[in-house]
Amino acid sequence: MSIVTVFPQGKMIGVSAHTSLLAALLGADLVIPHKCEGKGECGSCQILIRSGGSGLSKMRRSENQRLNKMVGIDPKSRLACQARVLGTRNMVVDLQGSAPPL
């Protein structure tokens, strides 16, 4: 299990291995857009991984292509619906898409 700290709320949630970040966030009653219902087709669930990104599944080609089509994306951006928690590291994510300095 990993602890995911979510900004700007500052909420900490426990996430089991193999769970998508989208499912974890929605399960914790956090509001995050997800127009395509987790299929990785729309990019609306884009989040910024502030730290602990190595505790997530590797980015697949389809996710990378979707992010490359979006304007102003940070290199640490992921689609919450496609990023699965490995359960090996805690992480900090930002739902605003761009993180303020720590």
Side-chain angles (χ1 to χ4, degrees), residues 42-86:
C42 69
S44 65
C45 67
Q46 179 267 327
I47 59 173
L48 183 70
I49 309 301
R50 292 173 74 177
S51 66
S54 64
L56 294 171
S57 59
K58 292 187 186 257
M59 188 181 299
R60 289 198 233 159
R61 184 177 183 186
S62 58
E63 179 183 3
N64 191 40
Q65 289 175 331
R66 172 61 52 201
L67 287 168
N68 282 339
K69 291 179 182 178
M70 298 170 69
V71 176
I73 295 298
D74 188 281
K76 292 184 178 183
S77 291
R78 292 290 307 263
L79 297 180
C81 69
Q82 300 300 299
R84 296 206 173 271
V85 174
L86 300 176

Side-chain angles (χ1 to χ4, degrees), residues 21-22 25-26 30-34 44-47 80 95:
L21 280 177
L22 178 62
L25 295 168
L26 293 174
L30 292 164
V31 176
I32 180 168
H34 55 288
S44 65
C45 67
Q46 179 267 327
I47 59 173
L95 302 185

